[in-house]
Amino acid sequence: VKLMDFADEKKRLEWMEKKNMKVFSLFHKTVPAQEVDILLAAPVEFKQAARNRVVRRAGGLTIPVAGIADLIKMKEVVGRKHDVSDINMLRRVQALSRRRG
């Protein structure tokens, strides 16, 4: 699949309908755990995700990332085994954050 194919709504709809595809994962061939998931249908509108983003610093970079509630919504749609595990952990983090105020 060419990355630019993801910009084509018709192709994304075809993949979802014919292949039951929900997410496409890109990964680094030689470095483990460097993976990006591309959701074919967004369960969270971009404007909402941008409002709810959290900014983190890592390795000298400033990185905007999805807020926990939005990340949970995205993982619920995909529903892979590791997403379910991630959701449980994210809910624990969310509960701890609420307690701390």
Side-chain angles (χ1 to χ4, degrees):
V1 173
K2 297 176 187 172
L3 277 180
M4 288 308 295
D5 286 347
F6 289 97
D8 185 334
E9 185 177 9
K10 287 181 183 179
K11 285 187 181 186
R12 290 193 317 271
L13 289 172
E14 181 181 321
W15 296 335
M16 288 186 287
E17 292 171 7
K18 292 184 178 178
K19 297 182 179 189
N20 197 29
M21 186 183 280
K22 296 178 183 178
V23 65
F24 190 86
S25 297
L26 302 173
F27 59 93
H28 194 284
K29 290 181 181 180
T30 59
V31 182
Q34 287 196 3
E35 186 174 311
V36 174
D37 289 336
I38 300 173
L39 297 172
L40 298 182
V44 178
E45 292 293 325
F46 179 80
K47 287 182 180 181
Q48 176 188 341
R51 277 192 309 273
N52 297 338
R53 76 186 179 276
V54 178
V55 178
R56 297 287 184 240
R57 292 199 45 82
L61 298 173
T62 301
I63 306 168
V65 296
I68 290 176
D70 291 339
L71 188 54
I72 289 170
K73 287 178 191 173
M74 289 182 240
K75 288 185 165 290
E76 285 174 336
V77 167
V78 179
R80 298 169 294 193
K81 187 176 179 179
H82 69 271
D83 291 310
V84 173
S85 174
D86 290 348
I87 290 166
N88 291 330
M89 192 58 67
L90 287 166
R91 287 189 174 139
R92 291 168 125 182
V93 170
Q94 200 174 37
L96 287 171
S97 296
R98 286 186 188 132
R99 285 187 209 141
R100 291 183 183 166

